[in-house]
Amino acid sequence: MRFLWQKLGFYLVALWAALTLNFFLPRWMPGNPVDIMVSKLAQRGEVTPATRHAIELLLGMDSSVPIWQQYIDYLQQIFRGDLGVSVAYFPTPVVDVIGQTLPWTVALVGLSTLISFVIGVGLGMLAGWKRGSWIDNMVPSLTLLQSIPYFWLALVLLFLLGSVWQVFPLNGGYDIYTTSPGWTWDFVSSVVYYGTLPALTIVISSVGGWMLGMRNMMVSTLSEDYILTAEAKGLRPSRIRLTYAARNAVLPSVAGFAISLGFVVAGSVVTESVFSYPGIGSALLSSVNNADYALMQGIFLVVTISVLGANLLVDLLYTVIDPRTRARA
């Protein structure tokens, strides 16, 4: 329990620090969302000072209120679940924008990250166990794919599989002409079909890193004395590989996977931009282009909570898979 309370206290302080930065950073950026809203309304008619003041109150940017009071109001709104109104998607609340785009990103990037992690760790375990085999010789090739600029790989796959051979669609999240959102087979199959190419891009570009890291850790772990002791006891090679070697070698990869899993909700801005995917990365890009402070803060808040939550989960998981952590705690 002492270890748990220490971790919870650390992450609560980290959450407060992230919320504070989340409040100040957008305000230090150039641009003013009030001016953007006023310019949009000015296209339809004259904007009076009273209207401008009402927009400032709506967006929480009242110039007559000191910055420290805005900060307190911001924290109060966070704990009430009120993230404000989006400028880019006006008058839609930020909570609704995030609720509409987050499931798309979690489904695409989350599953792709999980698939690449499982494949990469599995191949890395075999490559480290059988050094010099054909699986081990795959490491340089897959690592080379990871070094290729991500947007370039996405464009190449989009051109070949979407334009030349027309195996997958070029953009979108589902077929808007033949299906509508809902838990139906037509909609789910359309989502899987449209998401296959973006997911394939993510898997290809990331599986090499997981494989290389796991392979190197396996090679290092196999040189430990307890592996030699297990072999001297006459244990089965499969048990030594999984229970003794892989279980210890996978620990750094689990930590890296937790960080990657936390950033899933941030989406992949490049992927969603190239494939016009309706995820939270596209919403973040739109919020930056429109100086939408409320939407930026809402997305950063979700990212912060997910990263801290994922790291806390891994810290607790470490106590299960690594007994040495429990001893130190």
Side-chain angles (χ1 to χ4, degrees):
M1 291 299 297
R2 180 185 175 186
F3 173 76
L4 178 61
W5 284 113
Q6 287 177 345
K7 287 297 180 181
L8 288 177
F10 169 78
Y11 283 110
L12 286 176
V13 173
L15 177 61
W16 169 79
L19 290 176
T20 302
L21 289 175
N22 193 22
F23 172 79
F24 285 104
L25 285 179
R27 285 165 172 76
W28 292 335
M29 296 174 59
N32 190 332
V34 177
D35 294 336
I36 294 177
M37 283 297 303
V38 170
S39 63
K40 290 181 179 180
L41 294 177
Q43 298 176 357
R44 302 182 180 181
E46 182 181 0
V47 179
T48 63
T51 302
R52 181 183 178 87
H53 183 65
I55 295 174
E56 291 179 347
L57 294 176
L58 178 64
L59 301 180
M61 299 293 296
D62 190 357
S63 56
S64 62
V65 178
I67 190 67
W68 62 266
Q69 184 62 47
Q70 294 182 23
Y71 175 68
I72 294 176
D73 294 340
Y74 160 75
L75 293 179
Q76 292 175 347
Q77 291 177 347
I78 291 295
F79 288 110
R80 290 199 306 265
D82 181 12
L83 302 181
V85 178
S86 172
V87 173
Y89 300 89
F90 187 83
T92 307
V94 171
V95 174
D96 294 342
V97 175
I98 294 176
Q100 293 170 3
T101 56
L102 184 59
W104 292 94
T105 297
V106 171
L108 173 64
V109 186
L111 289 177
S112 302
T113 303
L114 179 61
I115 292 172
S116 63
F117 173 77
V118 172
I119 296 176
V121 168
L123 292 177
M125 179 188 65
L126 296 176
W129 181 259
K130 298 180 179 181
R131 283 172 288 178
S133 63
W134 65 272
I135 298 179
D136 193 19
N137 293 331
M138 290 174 56
V139 174
S141 300
L142 293 178
T143 306
L144 176 63
L145 291 176
Q146 187 182 22
S147 64
I148 296 176
Y150 188 81
F151 68 92
W152 188 83
L153 178 62
L155 290 174
V156 169
L157 291 178
L158 186 65
F159 174 73
L160 293 177
L161 300 180
S163 180
V164 177
W165 294 321
Q166 298 183 357
V167 179
F168 298 105
L170 293 174
N171 53 54
Y174 65 97
D175 191 348
I176 60 175
Y177 300 105
T178 60
T179 60
S180 58
W183 292 106
T184 61
W185 171 251
D186 292 338
F187 176 73
V188 173
S189 60
S190 179
V191 169
V192 173
Y193 177 57
Y194 274 72
T196 300
L197 189 55
L200 184 63
T201 306
I202 297 174
V203 171
I204 292 176
S205 62
S206 58
V207 70
W210 296 118
M211 183 179 180
L212 177 62
M214 184 62 181
R215 186 262 181 196
N216 292 340
M217 286 304 303
M218 278 290 292
V219 172
S220 176
T221 304
L222 289 173
S223 63
E224 297 290 340
D225 292 337
Y226 61 86
I227 299 294
L228 182 61
T229 303
E231 293 175 346
K233 289 181 178 180
L235 298 180
R236 297 191 308 273
S238 59
R239 183 179 178 184
I240 297 175
R241 181 177 66 245
L242 296 175
T243 307
Y244 288 81
R247 181 178 178 180
N248 292 283
V250 79
L251 293 178
S253 296
V254 171
F257 177 69
I259 298 175
S260 300
L261 203 60
F263 279 106
V264 160
V265 293
S268 179
V269 178
V270 176
T271 302
E272 296 179 3
S273 299
V274 172
F275 294 98
S276 300
Y277 199 78
I280 203 168
S282 298
L284 178 60
L285 182 62
S286 178
S287 67
V288 173
N289 292 332
N290 292 277
D292 191 347
Y293 292 169
L295 184 54
M296 277 189 283
Q297 289 175 335
I299 294 176
F300 291 154
L301 175 64
V302 174
V303 173
T304 300
I305 294 176
S306 62
V307 172
L308 292 178
N311 280 273
L312 176 60
L313 181 62
V314 169
D315 282 340
L316 299 178
L317 183 61
Y318 254 62
T319 62
V320 177
I321 62 180
D322 189 359
R324 295 171 296 181
T325 307
R326 293 196 297 269
R328 289 194 298 268

